Amino acid sequence: MYTQHFQLKQSPFSIAPDPRYLFMSERHREALAHLLYGVGSGGGFVLLTGEIGAGKTTVCRCFIEQIPANCRLAYIFNPKLSVEELLLSICDELGIELPADGGDKVSIKGYVDAINRHLLANHAQGLNNVLVIDEAQNLAPAVLEQLRLLTNLETSERKLLQIILIGQPELRTMLARPELEQLAQRVIARYHLGSLTVDETGQYIVHRLAVAGATGPSPFPAGLSGLVHQLTKGVPRRINLLCDRALLGAYVENRRQVTARILRRAATEVFGGEATRTLRRPWLIGAAGVLTGAVLTAAAAWQLAPAPLAQPASVKGAPAVPVLAADDYDGHLHRLAGLWGVTPGHGEPCATAAREDLRCLQGRASLDELRRLDRPAVLRLGGATAPTYALLTALDGQQATLELGGRRQRLPLAELERRYDGSYTTFWRAQRTWRDELGAGARGPDVDWLARRLAEQRGESAPREGAALDGAVLRWLREFQAAQHLKADGVAGPKTFIRLSQLAGVREPRLAAGGK
């Protein structure tokens, strides 16, 4: 309707995916790099998350276009499937012929055997196999477990299937559940796709207008970029919706440029009451700016509790650090990485810290279990409306030391137990070529290290290098796990590596030392 008025060849802000309008911000390029890295890493899971409309599918389409020639791809975009339907979809995508069992129904074993034969045949030809699942937050727990089992298909050299999960932020929460801990440990790369910055929002608008054929003055003055970003939170799909309605409003008023008034009215029409709340926030922020640092700190600490609680005592002489929003999960992980002497780059902290051989361990644990783990961790605390986070740096018999709202404070354990919802994230050190999990029959430098450490603990001679994880070493592993109150399943995961490193005297942050 308005294209001729603004001398455009087509509507620049359609929400339909069109590769001609692809805009790769720094975050999108980094997300794409993580996916391409995962393809060449030899198996396991790669995780890409982002808010609705952040551009996850756009990145996925770009990834599919750039996938190496030696990769065979299966893409599933409707993950609300049963286990059997998932396996059938994988067979359909990869062109796998199923055995004739004399009936219409194929068993799960029949599907898995057929997939394994196909993957082995591809491996023999030097081909990699990649499974991409979009909207993965809709996967049922049983389906996720079956996906984990598919990553058990391997040769002595590498995994046969690389799985990429793409979904909304709740996917990260799902993988933090105790029953999915084994799957979470197999995630070799993860990236959370954030929103556009104010500058990128302006560049995004200019880019789409140019592709649509704009040649004259922009319908959106440069000074409106900040307001567009504020109203849309920098989410590309929301920018499209708002700008499309704003152009229509300018056309109706016979204007050549969108004004701030037109933009605000468009936001009300598109986003409803949410736009009104968004527009009020700057006044709240401005009022907060007159508060002193002490009040800001108290406010941040107050947000951590679902109800008013006693004010925690500040640690005497503890240095103040920059104020950190209580709901800033990534910011707390950056602080945690700092205790390891690592400054993660731009992007999802777990993924960027991995470049420094620092890996994330996410799970659920009681305070007693965290004390045995003996390392600083980011804790998730239940709030009145949304989760908040705190950095645990020390834990004794009666109190915990946490970083709350920019200041280290001591909190009675009973009070922390009321707030802590059981979810934590910490780091552990491992060489880049090491696997997150070692099972019976595994070989490699990580197995050699494990065998040496176990032998040291028992006063035994170290086995020869290159030996498989079996026999006496597998028995040593199970006995060590049982003695350390770990799951004695003969599978060496992060917690086993962590405890062996601690007993060997490896220098790393400890809870008992206050996180120093």
Side-chain angles (χ1 to χ4, degrees):
M1 181 182 294
Y2 57 70
T3 52
Q4 291 184 349
H5 179 74
F6 293 107
Q7 298 179 345
L8 301 169
K9 295 178 181 178
Q10 57 191 171
S11 175
F13 296 107
S14 170
I15 61 173
D18 187 335
R20 293 175 301 168
Y21 286 89
L22 178 64
F23 176 81
M24 294 293 284
S25 71
E26 180 183 353
R27 291 160 184 77
H28 289 82
R29 288 193 296 271
E30 204 162 288
L32 177 60
H34 276 73
L35 296 185
L36 292 172
Y37 160 78
V39 168
S41 62
F45 289 88
V46 176
L47 187 66
L48 173 62
T49 56
E51 299 291 344
I52 297 173
K56 301 182 296 296
T57 302
T58 298
V59 171
C60 181
R61 288 174 181 269
C62 191
F63 162 73
I64 291 173
E65 291 176 359
Q66 297 185 34
I67 197 167
N70 68 331
C71 287
R72 295 296 177 265
L73 178 73
Y75 178 67
I76 296 176
F77 58 87
N78 175 27
K80 288 191 174 182
L81 305 169
S82 66
V83 170
E84 291 84 356
E85 290 169 337
L86 169 77
L87 295 173
L88 177 59
S89 296
I90 294 173
C91 291
D92 288 343
E93 285 288 316
L94 292 176
I96 300 174
E97 293 186 7
L98 294 172
D101 288 347
D104 295 330
K105 187 174 178 59
V106 179
S107 66
I108 290 178
K109 182 179 184 302
Y111 284 121
V112 173
D113 288 347
I115 291 171
N116 190 37
R117 285 193 298 270
H118 182 83
L119 299 183
L120 284 170
N122 279 356
H123 176 72
Q125 299 176 50
L127 301 175
N128 294 331
N129 305 280
V130 181
L131 170 62
V132 178
I133 301 181
D134 207 350
E135 300 295 341
Q137 75 279 354
N138 293 321
L139 290 169
V143 175
L144 283 168
E145 174 61 13
Q146 182 60 59
L147 288 172
R148 183 188 71 82
L149 294 174
L150 286 179
T151 63
N152 286 338
L153 303 178
E154 59 187 356
T155 67
S156 59
E157 302 170 350
R158 60 179 294 144
K159 301 283 188 183
L160 294 175
L161 183 63
Q162 175 75 66
I163 300 177
I164 297 175
L165 301 179
I166 301 174
Q168 296 171 24
E170 51 263 38
L171 179 59
R172 292 195 297 182
T173 305
M174 286 173 57
L175 297 186
R177 295 175 184 170
E179 63 268 25
L180 295 175
E181 183 177 356
Q182 284 189 312
L183 188 153
Q185 291 175 2
R186 298 189 184 191
V187 176
I188 61 172
R190 58 182 78 214
Y191 189 85
H192 183 71
L193 185 59
S195 57
L196 303 180
T197 65
V198 174
D199 289 342
E200 288 170 340
T201 298
Q203 295 164 12
Y204 178 82
I205 293 172
V206 170
H207 167 76
R208 293 193 71 100
L209 287 169
V211 174
T215 55
S218 173
F220 289 90
L224 283 184
S225 296
L227 182 56
V228 173
H229 183 269
Q230 176 191 338
L231 291 166
T232 63
K233 304 174 185 176
V235 177
R237 188 179 301 165
R238 291 169 62 91
I239 295 173
N240 288 354
L241 291 169
L242 177 63
C243 290
D244 180 70
R245 186 60 61 92
L247 287 179
L248 179 61
Y251 165 73
V252 169
E253 295 188 11
N254 198 29
R255 291 178 178 272
R256 290 293 177 183
Q257 285 193 317
V258 174
T259 64
R261 176 183 57 80
I262 292 175
L263 199 60
R264 290 190 181 95
R265 188 172 65 189
T268 301
E269 293 173 356
V270 174
F271 305 133
E274 178 187 345
T276 304
R277 292 192 297 272
T278 300
L279 288 169
R280 287 175 179 168
R281 282 181 193 142
W283 296 99
L284 296 174
I285 294 171
V290 303
L291 299 176
T292 63
V295 175
L296 282 172
T297 300
W302 174 81
Q303 291 180 35
L304 296 171
L309 295 167
Q311 177 68 28
S314 296
V315 176
K316 186 176 180 180
V321 293
V323 173
L324 187 64
D327 61 353
D328 186 357
Y329 174 70
D330 286 356
H332 284 82
L333 283 183
H334 276 265
R335 294 274 176 86
L336 177 61
L339 299 180
W340 291 78
V342 170
T343 303
H346 182 76
E348 206 274 331
C350 287
T352 53
R355 300 170 189 164
E356 304 292 334
D357 296 339
L358 205 58
R359 304 187 188 184
C360 273
L361 171 62
Q362 299 170 313
R364 295 184 63 83
S366 65
L367 292 182
D368 284 341
E369 289 170 326
L370 289 176
R371 183 181 285 108
R372 288 197 295 269
L373 196 59
D374 192 19
R375 60 191 46 224
V378 174
L379 308 186
R380 190 170 71 180
L381 312 177
T385 57
T388 54
Y389 301 93
L391 177 57
L392 176 68
T393 57
L395 194 63
D396 59 28
Q398 297 180 332
Q399 292 185 319
T401 303
L402 304 100
E403 190 175 298
L404 301 174
R407 186 175 295 275
R408 285 185 180 177
Q409 298 175 341
R410 289 197 182 99
L411 206 64
L413 291 188
E415 188 169 351
L416 177 58
E417 286 175 348
R418 285 197 299 271
R419 301 186 189 190
Y420 174 46
D421 78 351
S423 298
Y424 75 94
T425 304
T426 189
F427 285 118
W428 64 291
R429 182 83 70 182
Q431 295 181 27
R432 195 163 304 184
T433 57
W434 287 14
R435 289 157 286 186
D436 284 348
E437 192 175 272
L438 300 174
R443 300 173 187 266
D446 43 5
V447 176
D448 295 339
W449 182 91
L450 176 71
R452 285 197 303 271
R453 294 300 188 199
L454 290 171
E456 288 174 5
Q457 291 299 314
R458 301 177 64 90
E460 304 273 0
S461 299
R464 63 179 177 82
E465 291 193 357
L469 177 55
D470 55 18
V473 177
L474 190 59
R475 176 172 54 82
W476 295 350
L477 173 59
R478 290 195 178 100
E479 292 175 356
F480 175 81
Q481 290 173 324
Q484 299 298 322
H485 306 286
L486 301 173
K487 186 177 180 180
D489 56 0
V491 176
K495 292 180 181 179
T496 300
F497 282 109
I498 288 170
R499 192 61 187 138
L500 283 169
S501 294
Q502 289 172 338
L503 293 173
V506 175
R507 293 178 60 86
E508 45 186 28
R510 296 287 190 94
L511 266 185
K516 296 181 181 178

